[in-house]
Amino acid sequence: MAKAKKTKKQVAQKAHSIVHGKDHDGAIRRTLIVEVEKLQGLKNPVLIEGLPGIGFVGKLAAEYMVETLKARKVAEIYSHHFPHQVLMEKDGTLKMLKNEIHLYKDPKKKRDLLLLIGDVQPASPEAQYEVINCILDYMSTNGINDVITLGGYSTGKMTEKPKVFAAVSDVSEIKNYKNIGVVFGETEGSIIGAAGLLIGLGKMRGVKGVCFMGETHGSYIDHRAAQRMIEILSKLLGLKIDTSKLTEKAKESEKIIRKIEEETNKAKQAMQPSEPVRPSELTYIR
Amino acid sequence: MAKAKKTKKQVAQKAHSIVHGKDHDGAIRRTLIVEVEKLQGLKNPVLIEGLPGIGFVGKLAAEYMVETLKARKVAEIYSHHFPHQVLMEKDGTLKMLKNEIHLYKDPKKKRDLLLLIGDVQPASPEAQYEVINCILDYMSTNGINDVITLGGYSTGKMTEKPKVFAAVSDVSEIKNYKNIGVVFGETEGSIIGAAGLLIGLGKMRGVKGVCFMGETHGSYIDHRAAQRMIEILSKLLGLKIDTSKLTEKAKESEKIIRKIEEETNKAKQAMQPSEPVRPSELTYIR
Amino acid sequence: MAKAKKTKKQVAQKAHSIVHGKDHDGAIRRTLIVEVEKLQGLKNPVLIEGLPGIGFVGKLAAEYMVETLKARKVAEIYSHHFPHQVLMEKDGTLKMLKNEIHLYKDPKKKRDLLLLIGDVQPASPEAQYEVINCILDYMSTNGINDVITLGGYSTGKMTEKPKVFAAVSDVSEIKNYKNIGVVFGETEGSIIGAAGLLIGLGKMRGVKGVCFMGETHGSYIDHRAAQRMIEILSKLLGLKIDTSKLTEKAKESEKIIRKIEEETNKAKQAMQPSEPVRPSELTYIR
Amino acid sequence: MAKAKKTKKQVAQKAHSIVHGKDHDGAIRRTLIVEVEKLQGLKNPVLIEGLPGIGFVGKLAAEYMVETLKARKVAEIYSHHFPHQVLMEKDGTLKMLKNEIHLYKDPKKKRDLLLLIGDVQPASPEAQYEVINCILDYMSTNGINDVITLGGYSTGKMTEKPKVFAAVSDVSEIKNYKNIGVVFGETEGSIIGAAGLLIGLGKMRGVKGVCFMGETHGSYIDHRAAQRMIEILSKLLGLKIDTSKLTEKAKESEKIIRKIEEETNKAKQAMQPSEPVRPSELTYIR
């Protein structure tokens, strides 16, 4: 497979777009990256993905990093493939579901970080391919050729000291990660969604990638796995991140999610036994 | 995010269309707004959405208003994303599933109302985005920059005096609603479908919006919540609407819906245990 | 809504095509009507739809008519929306799933019949809209402005003398059907699939339609309801069709379908408890 | 139906592409065949399909042939319709899900084989039609007019000496297969996926095809049925393939698949009872 070069023709037309906020009419008809700020003068940049997934390990870690490192939002990602919902915020406003890219400019000018976080991942293959390709186009446009994806590896067991497992796009990369305590060869199966596709589709376009997977039970929001993930990333990227508030934050998240869960169940119960039937559900003949 | 301006380029081609009835060949191949009448000389217009949802609160309220205010139909909305069914009417005819927009011209020339009602909402994210964008295009074309969406907020409990909760697109709007008895800050989670997306997608295009949610059990058609909703809307819009017939109407609706429900269940039972297998369901090899 | 006129512009590009067999390269990439024979000199034609549905009433009736009237195939309908399967024929060959249109030229030159029969109906709204629009385009091209759709109306009860219920596109048509023994006003709910959409979408394009629904249990293949349906159609169309072989044919069909059902269940049982897991089903992280 | 000729116009635009690796920018936005090597000077070629299916019979047989015959990879097939996952390899790398075509040049210059193998088949009608049409285009471009598809025929019973059943695109072909021990007339129902559609869609484009179905229980990976399949293929194609290692290989595969299955179940259990709820799953109002 040839590496991505600008001169090579695109095989299929892109269904998505990247547009700067001030040039955009605001309509979200397809998948769309809306730039808040043009990226400029990046130093050896790497994109770190932490979208929702098993144990919320990646999301917790990446969002904590965004906050702690005071990264600033440079882009928003919208898609007609995201669930047709809006979130009720505490302040009484409504918020579109979206993903975001935040920039952390390395003060040592060694390696700038782009952090991809968000509310959701799309649910179908076609939607995932579209959104991931859109992100890879954004990376390509901005000269970002490295990606680190964060996820959870579900074991069904609680563990005191969770490991961080990994898988890479290129076998020669393994040595770079082993010496920071990342574990290879103890995972099997497949990686679903952005954490996998960013590596897989990225590799074909010349992007080098590693997926870090925090060992986790799978049924719980796991701040401990997220903490361990941040430690590994700090070692890798030469960052100093105080993870002490993560425990607290994770507990808070857990409380909210539990609450939401209860109410969702209540809502489900309320809606199922004798839900008002819409005319559209009648099916006498066909 | 920039506000919607005509001069800004559309990022993706529209998959839907708005066409005047007399220019339309009648074929429904995509999502389509068919204008019965061109809107002209609107005074400070606002669109009020009341499509089917939890407790049928929004639908009951909006349809009652259409009837009581003698609003006239100005547009019909069809979509290949609506269920592939037609409704059997009492008079022996069949009716396409559709949404409709009705116009109430304010006799005091203060604020004209556009009421969006209908049989169904589409079921997938992509379909919802398409239909809502089509409606927002219609609003934009006709200079309608405000939207009120009506829904139910499911609590799983019966309540004597249901509240009307609200969420807004812009925090500065809250004060305008608090003083008419609308409650903020007691809801959480997300708003699904048109009631949420019209606000969320609308905001990005410069539309100001509020979603009113009638407190309701969630398992029943709730005329009381609808009644309360109309009272709030009357206060907000300076209307005088006698809601006495709503109770009656809601009971009637409930009877019909219960009947339909029974028969749907009968039909489901009839079709599931030993449903005739179609050739297409055989799956010996693959 | 304006009636269909050739001069009015199509609102959306057609996703399907009608092509003559000899001009077609054979590739089925979309929904496609392949003409075996160009229709010419039709006398007051009407299309009768009898695709699979509740109790197989419509399918049984229409296929029996095709056979008895020695109607000849004039078109085949293929679609990428039909299930991705092929049927094993008794002679050892494989057959694509398709729909077919058969022509019965009225020897009395009063009313020619086009009979629409087939293996399947598509399962999603978008697919149904596409296929039905394709058929309506075929009708429009060939000057066919009337449609009769055949279905079953599920009551969950066995009945000795099944009625034929009906619903029409235009209320003024009811009188034409009442006097041949068709029953109006005893059905409610909705009509799913081709039997409903051909009427609903057809009406908007100027096609007059009636849907006949054979009263049936819903769980069984019902040759009696089909027999009654043919009697009604014979009266309406002035045909003489001996239905004595239908009983026999229906029994045969039932035997085959029962057999298939048994084996499907066997296959399902075989595949579910310990079905070999494909690599694609592993979901450790996301 | 007319046979496929280059001069006839394509009815619908192709949604997929065939591109040579060195001309490809690497982006997988649609269904795509990426050629590793241009096919040249093929002798009477036939494509043999062995993708995952019932009992893994076809996959086992075809992959064993690729290995034993030392066939070389000439093309890779990617699709946005394949599951949005990547596989974790034993060496610590990640692998995109794909299909592959391998070429076996017949040393006797009688009949070259193209073997189609892979990780997955797409799950929806539209996706299957697209991928199969892409493969048929590839065959057509390379003058490959014959296809043999391999599958399993589920009986729900264990059998000592599994038969190989068959179905063909053209009845005149049956005699060619009967005398090598293939059984006709003992199967019924339908064939799902590539094994069926390659024959069905191929026939319409002038491709002659046969589907071999190994008699199998359906719940187990069946190396015995695969062994028998290879014997039949060897007879048909004049090959000498030692199947002794297949037993061993199948056992190995079974072990891995069982392991995967266990862990999948574990993962499912872990994720279902108290899975962390994502914000997008809340459904209070709509």
Side-chain angles (χ1 to χ4, degrees), chain B residues 78-174:
Chain B
Y78 297 92
S79 177
H80 64 310
H81 291 306
F82 290 165
H84 46 295
Q85 304 180 15
V86 296
L87 294 172
M88 292 188 256
E89 298 283 271
K90 280 188 178 172
D91 67 358
T93 60
L94 293 170
K95 202 189 78 165
M96 284 288 289
L97 295 180
K98 61 175 180 293
N99 293 350
E100 296 177 350
I101 298 173
H102 291 253
L103 170 66
Y104 169 69
K105 290 288 276 185
D106 183 1
K108 298 177 218 145
K109 306 208 171 182
K110 281 192 177 163
R111 167 146 261 196
D112 293 334
L113 309 184
L114 282 301
L115 293 133
L116 170 63
I117 58 176
D119 305 307
V120 282
Q121 288 196 37
S124 74
E126 295 81 4
Q128 280 273 1
Y129 268 76
E130 186 178 308
V131 172
I132 298 303
N133 269 314
C134 191
I135 293 165
L136 288 169
D137 288 345
Y138 177 85
M139 288 173 64
S140 161
T141 303
N142 290 294
I144 305 165
N145 299 313
D146 291 283
V147 67
I148 299 169
T149 66
L150 312 180
Y153 186 81
S154 162
T155 61
K157 289 181 294 197
M158 293 301 212
T159 175
E160 273 302 296
K161 242 200 118 181
K163 293 176 189 169
V164 173
F165 303 115
V168 290
S169 54
D170 196 298
V171 76
S172 69
E173 299 285 312
I174 293 179

Side-chain angles (χ1 to χ4, degrees), chain B residues 49 57 61 98 111 132 143 176 214 227 233 249 263 281:
Chain B
E49 174 272 337
V57 179
K98 61 175 180 293
R111 167 146 261 196
I132 298 303
N176 303 333
Q227 205 166 18
L233 286 167
K249 248 190 121 48
E263 280 164 44
E281 287 170 350

